[in-house]
Amino acid sequence: MVRSRPVTVTRSWLALAGGRLGPPLERQSRAARSALQRAARRLLHLWRSSLQLRVIASTMLLGLIVVLLLGTYLYQRIADGLVNDRVLTARAEATSQTRAAQARFDSAGRMDAVSLTQLAFDIVGQLSSPGADQSRQVILTRASDNTGPASVPTVLSGEVGLPRVPAGLRSAIAADPGHQQVQIVSISAPDGATVPAAMVGSRVTLPAAGRYELYFVFPLEREQQTLRVVGRTFALGGIALVLLLGGVAYVVTRLVVDPVRRAALVAERLSSGRLHERMRAHGEDDIARLGKSFNAMADSLQKKIRQLEDLSRVQQRFVSDVSHELRTPLTTIRMAGDLIHDSRHDFGPSVSRSAELLHNEIDRFESLLSDLLEISRFDAGAAALDVEATDLRVTLDRAIESTAALAARRGSRLEVIPTDGPCVAEIDPRRVERILRNLVANAIEYGEGRPVTVQLGVNENAVAVSVSDSGVGLRQGEAALVFNRFWRADPARARTTGGTGLGLAISREDARLHGGWLHAWGESAVGSCFRLTLPRHTGVPIEYSPLPLKPKEVPSPPGPGSGLGPRPVAASGSPES
Ligand code: ADP
């Protein structure tokens, strides 16, 4: 067991080093990466969507920067103050001690090297702090410019922790022997830690031995401890301050953001049709004023919408009533017209021609009336689907059959491009046949006798039929207008099929009722294409159409309305686009 472990480690390490992870490792790293990405996306979304989070985070960040700058500055000032104080006292202490030492050396008079060394040891021992106390240590060493015999060696007050005297300090004393010199050095504390210390040095003269330097080392341990406490206090205080700032920002933003969020929610509900929704507006402050103005705006909007709805209802009602009222006289006119039409050969040529005209116009009148009644049903929300699973090929065949006579009259050839397999969808066959009949009849009507192509398409959740012709086409912007009621590209254009101008409007309503799309594309003198896309299953939304809107052979001018995309906006003019 013990031996096999390094082998396992080495293998996996080699695999890692070679960049080839084993399959489970690879899967794990991919999962970790995607989890990280998901978390990052969620965080980004939260950051973008929450004003509160942004305010709190910015306040805390700014607070942190201020605390850091201020804390560092204050800490530095305190540290400088503490060290300067200590250095001042160290200097004073060193001055008096050096004077005392010099006095003792002076009073000793001339003596041999051994006695002088003994005296030096005594003086250093007395000058330094007693026992284990290391708060003042002393070094006596020969000056660098003393070239006489080294009768007294370097004397240290303690064994541990004393540093070598820095060369800089020594040369400073040599350069200015009359003055005391100070330098901050590092010494080792008894516990092994490194502690800063103030080293104060000055010149003394030993009888017979000449120039020596006397150094006092004052550890700054207490100052360091004080600074540590100050630093910790600053850090804790800073953290507490930043958190406090975050808390304050949270409370303040809640006070402001909450009403704004409530306003957004109410606005969303209003726009989704719940016109009675209002904001709470208590008090006199700005938020209350916002609430009151918002509610006043909602009141006036609701009033206007109600008025428009009433007006629209009255209009729809009027159209519906008129259409219904016209049915009875029209039936009578129809019967009388048919009678006259049947016996037109008994009249003179002009009356006979009038009888034919009357007959045609009665036909147009009838289809107009039935289209108007159908539109009124859509407006009243009374149109309902009669859904059954139907093969779209059958529905299309029926629509083509019913337009065959028109195609023959106009000399148009119909080409059908079927799907490979069945094209079944849950649709109302009567309504879909009506849409297709209208599209094919229009293509023949405006196709100028050129071939009309009808293509079927199917994908996982949609079926589609596109009807394209190479006739007059549509001018720019007209693709968005063709679905408007009574809109015609050329109102003066003679109609032979007796179109009412409502065909595409009804087709669009029919497509919408299915949850489908009806889109148009056209180019002047090139042709047009109308594409119906329906969901295969009721209630399952369409993602994209199986067929392109623009025929492939047409060169593409820049602009919308082309391609397979799910939302060819400008081409359709329909809200589903
Ligand atoms: P109608 O055909 O009865 O006028 P529609 O609603 O079916 O009414 O069509 C509205 C208008 O759209 C037509 O008058 C015509 O100008 C235009 N249109 C429809 N289909 C085509 C087409 N295939 N090519 C060119 N224009 C068309």
Side-chain angles (χ1 to χ4, degrees):
M1 269 311 267
V2 175
R3 268 188 208 154
S4 68
R5 274 182 78 188
V7 176
T8 323
V9 171
T10 313
R11 266 196 204 142
S12 60
W13 168 245
L14 276 178
L16 274 168
R20 275 179 284 110
L21 304 171
L25 260 182
E26 213 170 276
R27 227 174 296 134
Q28 271 174 17
S29 83
R30 222 180 302 137
R33 223 177 307 136
S34 68
L36 260 174
Q37 279 170 355
R38 262 200 312 278
R41 267 201 298 273
R42 217 170 295 153
L43 212 68
L44 193 72
H45 172 74
L46 198 68
W47 177 259
R48 282 197 187 137
S49 60
S50 170
L51 176 68
Q52 195 171 17
L53 179 74
R54 285 208 299 276
V55 172
I56 293 173
S58 322
T59 312
M60 286 178 82
L61 188 72
L62 282 176
L64 189 70
I65 292 171
V66 170
V67 162
L68 276 178
L69 288 176
L70 207 67
T72 315
Y73 173 73
L74 288 178
Y75 183 84
Q76 203 57 51
R77 290 298 302 265
I78 292 171
D80 288 351
L82 281 173
V83 171
N84 287 344
D85 276 3
R86 186 67 185 106
V87 167
L88 271 181
T89 51
R91 268 175 180 278
E93 223 173 291
T95 309
S96 68
Q97 299 292 348
T98 309
R99 248 185 236 134
Q102 185 62 62
R104 283 198 61 191
F105 278 126
D106 291 346
S107 63
R110 294 193 75 80
M111 54 177 66
D112 58 45
V114 178
S115 310
L116 188 60
T117 306
Q118 188 53 51
L119 180 67
F121 269 100
D122 286 351
I123 291 175
V124 166
Q126 278 166 12
L127 293 180
S128 63
S129 51
D133 179 10
Q134 303 213 336
S135 60
R136 188 176 66 218
Q137 297 183 60
V138 184
I139 303 169
L140 178 71
T141 185
R142 203 150 69 101
S144 46
D145 54 355
N146 183 353
T147 47
S151 44
V152 178
T154 298
V155 183
L156 307 176
S157 66
E159 290 297 307
V160 236
L162 274 183
R164 283 166 60 94
V165 179
L169 189 57
R170 297 203 72 173
S171 49
I173 294 176
D176 186 9
H179 287 99
Q180 203 178 42
Q181 303 295 333
V182 185
Q183 192 169 333
I184 303 295
V185 295
S186 290
I187 61 166
S188 306
D191 59 359
T194 309
V195 182
M199 187 180 267
V200 188
S202 40
R203 184 63 67 85
V204 285
T205 310
L206 267 61
R211 294 184 289 276
Y212 268 68
E213 285 159 6
L214 185 63
Y215 293 98
F216 291 86
V217 180
F218 300 95
L220 301 175
E221 219 166 355
R222 283 234 322 268
E223 286 71 18
Q224 201 183 26
Q225 266 168 17
T226 312
L227 272 179
R228 238 181 257 138
V229 172
V230 169
R232 255 201 307 273
T233 314
F234 271 21
L236 288 176
I239 291 171
L241 195 69
V242 170
L243 289 178
L244 190 76
L245 275 175
V248 171
Y250 174 77
V251 173
V252 172
T253 47
R254 269 208 80 143
L255 285 174
V256 179
V257 167
D258 268 8
V260 175
R261 279 192 187 149
R262 277 201 299 277
L265 196 74
V266 173
E268 269 167 30
R269 286 185 186 153
L270 268 173
S271 63
S272 72
R274 291 158 69 174
L275 297 178
H276 57 275
E277 289 287 339
R278 293 292 179 272
M279 270 181 77
R280 261 185 289 138
H282 301 305
E284 304 286 317
D285 57 13
D286 298 316
I287 300 295
R289 277 222 313 279
L290 168 76
K292 280 174 193 157
S293 333
F294 186 93
N295 289 345
M297 182 190 75
D299 281 344
S300 112
L301 265 179
Q302 188 179 19
K303 214 167 113 194
K304 281 273 175 300
I305 290 171
R306 292 263 181 270
Q307 275 174 0
L308 284 172
E309 276 176 355
D310 288 347
L311 195 69
S312 166
R313 249 196 305 277
V314 168
Q315 281 176 346
Q316 287 168 13
R317 190 67 176 274
F318 178 74
V319 172
S320 170
D321 288 350
V322 168
S323 311
H324 273 104
E325 288 305 317
L326 283 175
R327 268 166 74 172
T328 321
L330 183 63
T331 316
T332 318
I333 295 171
R334 161 105 267 166
M335 276 164 24
D338 283 353
L339 207 70
I340 296 169
H341 186 254
D342 290 347
S343 25
R344 64 187 182 282
H345 302 298
D346 305 338
F347 307 125
S350 62
V351 179
S352 167
R353 176 77 193 122
S354 302
E356 265 171 22
L357 284 175
L358 179 69
H359 189 259
N360 287 346
E361 287 308 307
I362 290 172
D363 279 351
R364 272 174 60 81
F365 197 1
E366 255 188 336
S367 45
L368 178 64
L369 207 58
S370 76
D371 280 357
L372 274 175
L373 281 168
E374 188 64 22
I375 279 280
S376 324
R377 267 196 287 278
F378 279 119
D379 288 344
L385 280 184
D386 196 1
V387 172
E388 58 186 82
T390 311
D391 193 335
L392 203 60
R393 294 177 302 178
V394 180
T395 317
L396 179 64
D397 280 349
R398 275 210 295 269
I400 287 179
E401 230 173 76
S402 60
T403 52
L406 176 66
R409 262 206 315 280
R410 304 286 301 198
S412 298
R413 189 161 45 84
L414 288 181
E415 283 170 12
V416 179
I417 306 174
T419 48
D420 288 340
C423 195
V424 180
E426 290 168 7
I427 53 169
D428 182 338
R430 185 185 67 85
R431 289 184 189 276
V432 175
E433 189 187 326
R434 179 165 66 184
I435 303 174
L436 296 178
R437 199 169 45 230
N438 188 32
L439 297 185
V440 175
N442 277 348
I444 296 169
E445 183 65 30
Y446 302 100
E448 305 200 308
R450 299 198 189 100
V452 170
T453 309
V454 183
Q455 189 175 359
L456 272 162
V458 61
N459 64 21
E460 54 287 354
N461 55 14
V463 290
V465 182
S466 70
V467 181
S468 48
D469 64 73
S470 316
V472 293
L474 295 167
R475 286 185 292 260
Q476 196 159 14
E478 286 186 350
L481 301 172
V482 286
F483 301 102
N484 291 352
R485 293 173 187 186
F486 297 112
W487 183 87
R488 284 186 175 123
D490 179 5
R493 194 152 66 190
R495 292 293 313 243
T496 48
T497 52
T500 59
L502 286 171
L504 286 176
I506 293 175
S507 298
R508 185 179 66 168
E509 295 295 345
D510 275 334
R512 261 190 199 165
L513 214 56
H514 282 85
W517 305 334
L518 183 56
H519 293 133
W521 169 88
E523 226 181 286
S524 187
V526 174
S528 22
C529 180
F530 287 78
R531 182 189 64 189
L532 170 71
T533 312
L534 299 171
R536 289 183 71 174
H537 303 287
T538 323
V540 180
I542 307 168
E543 281 169 18
Y544 61 95
S545 179
L547 294 176
L549 180 60
K550 198 173 90 175
K552 281 207 181 73
E553 55 273 17
V554 175
S556 62
S562 58
L564 262 173
R567 288 163 176 245
V569 181
S572 75
S574 59
E576 60 268 47
S577 61

